[in-house]
Amino acid sequence: SLVGSEMCIRDRLLKNDVGVFLLADKKLYRYNSEYINFYKKLGVIVYEPKIYNGKLLTKKDFIELISPQLNYAWLHRPKVFKRFSNFIKSSNSKTQVIYDMCDFHYVRLLREYEHNKNEDTKIEAERNLISEIESCKAADIIFAITDEDKQKVLEHYDNKDKIKVISNIHQPNEKSSSFNEFSKRSNILFIGNFRHKPNIDAVLYLHEEIMPLIWKSHPEIIVDVVGSYPTDNVKALHSDNFKIHGFVDDVSSFFNSSRIFFAPLRYGAGIKGKIGQSLEYNLPLVTTDVGAEGFDFGNYSEVMIANNAQELAEKVIALYSDQSLWNSVSDYSKTILEPFSLESIETTLVDTIN
């Protein structure tokens, strides 16, 4: 996940003798003592709203206090960059400001518009493009999450030396003795946060267009849909063979018992954490070009990627039914994840900072 990746990155910075200050912009984290204490124990200096010298210490007060020690300020997403970058520079002009795109929002919204032809979405995409390119121009360093996102940015802002690729961290895992083999598994798994429109669309697409094709020959297959904030139209899909579970605290039981992970995403941008998570569990998967973005499936691309309902259904059935193929894809998961290992990301990060 993104949060997990950020935790690992902070740990790597500390390991390399880089001091870390943390200012959580969201109240969800800023007032969370568990979150604050976790990072304090690691040696991170964390912003907390508190009385300091007789007055409330604000976020900008905190930045001013630490600014003489700031070599880099790592700011996530356009809104956060816009809110703090100028103030950080005015506090210490020598601070290198990093703009972390997380994903290229413009591309995600443009793909959504191409899918639904909603003019409001197109306007929002163009508004995001202006904001994101302004942030790119103002930044000293830009972090894109995939090579694809980097190339898309270069179409609008031609400064390739400024853009570095720092992706999510996904550790390749060896199969343990408790790993469930093909014959001990069943069901198709989808995971996604339903505050994210691409996930809503993917589940509706799965239910309405793909599963009817699969159920023609495999009526016994059950779909498990896991994720926070399911919308009413997603909840309405719940049935005995298409189960909407909502939020689940520990998803490992689903990854360890499902036979296939399936992500029929029709739009989106950046790296998809759900794909990396499935590969961490050595769980074979099927997805689209959008879902696979940033990953190299090698010779298994033909087995794992399709872009229409009929071909997606065929690839799911093939992987679900063929034990030999399933084992081969499962074994290859580790190779796919090698570029996303902690060691690989650490090397890029330390090289950039140094």
Side-chain angles (χ1 to χ4, degrees), residues 79 195 220:
K79 288 182 180 178
R195 283 182 173 171
E220 78 286 357

Coordinates of all heavy atoms in Angstrom, one line a residue, residues 79 195 220:
K79 N -2.2 19.4 -4.2 CA -2.8 20.3 -3.3 C -1.8 20.6 -2.1 O -1.7 21.7 -1.7 CB -4.1 19.7 -2.7 CG -5.2 19.8 -3.7 CD -6.5 19.3 -3.1 CE -7.7 19.3 -4.1 NZ -8.9 18.8 -3.6
R195 N -14.0 4.7 -2.5 CA -14.0 6.2 -2.7 C -13.3 6.5 -4.0 O -13.2 7.7 -4.3 CB -13.4 6.8 -1.5 CG -14.3 6.9 -0.3 CD -13.7 7.6 0.9 NE -14.6 7.8 2.0 CZ -14.3 8.3 3.2 NH1 -13.0 8.6 3.4 NH2 -15.2 8.4 4.1
E220 N -20.0 -22.5 -10.5 CA -19.6 -22.7 -9.1 C -18.7 -21.6 -8.5 O -18.5 -21.5 -7.3 CB -18.9 -24.0 -8.9 CG -17.5 -24.1 -9.4 CD -17.2 -24.2 -10.9 OE1 -18.2 -24.1 -11.6 OE2 -16.1 -24.2 -11.3

